[in-house]
Amino acid sequence: MHPWLSYEHRVAYVDHVGADLIATDKKEKRYAISVKSRVFKTDGPQQPFDVDQQQKLVSFAEDFGLIATVAFVCIDKIEINKDINIDVYIIELEDFRKLANKVKGITSTGANGEILHFSNAPRNQKYLQNNELINFHRLTLKANN
């Protein structure tokens, strides 16, 4: 797994159609990253990644010779006296497609399974957080008690 959030990587904010970040790892691999974030109030919602979003990311990545990648940032319900976990899952789009309907928390819908869904529900977390194709990091904001 890549230590994505370390000082050894270069990251640029691009905010372009299809991608939000460009990152380069220690091996000089280059990634176009689409960031999807959500504050969860329950464990039910899934974060969809539809065909249009996928095509825009792939197009951007191909134009610049990058690997199409998605980062899901899942933030706990915010409560003032409680620690807040921010879970970050980074997965290459090709692997996201491969894992759909094979790993709990990643599903696909649509006539050809082209709409991908990601769910960080507690029942899915151990499968997502321990999958070798998914780079997982947890950041915790400590409550001010």
Side-chain angles (χ1 to χ4, degrees), residues 58 67-70 91-100 116 133:
V58 167
I67 299 167
T69 305
V70 186
I91 183 170
E92 292 179 21
L93 181 57
E94 185 177 316
D95 292 333
F96 190 16
R97 290 172 173 158
K98 281 187 219 172
L99 294 175
L116 300 169
L133 297 176

Side-chain angles (χ1 to χ4, degrees), residues 14-30:
V14 293
D15 192 23
H16 189 278
V17 174
D20 301 295
L21 304 171
I22 293 176
T24 303
D25 67 14
K26 290 188 292 188
K27 297 177 184 176
E28 296 302 315
K29 283 187 175 181
R30 298 171 1 133

Side-chain angles (χ1 to χ4, degrees), residues 40-53:
F40 285 90
K41 295 178 183 145
T42 70
D43 67 355
Q46 290 186 340
Q47 181 72 40
F49 197 62
D50 66 34
V51 177
D52 185 52
Q53 292 170 315

Side-chain angles (χ1 to χ4, degrees), residues 72-89:
F72 292 97
V73 180
C74 306
I75 304 166
D76 284 349
K77 180 180 177 184
I78 298 171
E79 296 181 31
I80 204 152
N81 295 321
K82 188 176 175 189
D83 290 354
I84 300 168
N85 289 324
I86 302 170
D87 289 344
V88 180
Y89 299 86

